[in-house]
Amino acid sequence: EEKVAVFSVSGMTCAACAGSVEKAVKRLPGIHDAAVDVLWGRAQVVFYPAFVSENKITEAIEDVGFEAKLID
Ligand code: 9UX
């Protein structure tokens, strides 16, 4: 079963930032889709909880240099 999570992502200042966040999330196993909005500082991720967790997604975003917080 898919799950949807929204993260606030701070530190993204350009479209390439959003691209690197999106790529980092999509590299994880169990990700169905990821959409990053640089203007709103949000990342919406559709994922399979059997394979990946909100914490893993948060870590992947932070590993590429941004601060992420699960908001929804
Ligand atoms: Mo360009 Mo966004 O270096 O950090 S990717 S501003």
Side-chain angles (χ1 to χ4, degrees), residues 12-34:
M12 296 190 297
T13 53
C14 74
C17 292
S20 67
V21 169
E22 199 173 298
K23 222 170 104 186
V25 172
K26 287 180 170 173
R27 267 200 303 266
L28 293 167
I31 301 295
H32 179 76
D33 197 21

Side-chain angles (χ1 to χ4, degrees), residues 29-59:
I31 301 295
H32 179 76
D33 197 21
V36 179
D37 187 316
V38 61
L39 295 179
W40 287 87
R42 293 285 185 276
Q44 187 187 66
V45 184
V46 183
F47 64 102
Y48 296 94
F51 297 96
V52 68
S53 64
E54 286 91 340
N55 273 348
K56 287 280 180 198
I57 296 165
T58 300
E59 282 172 18

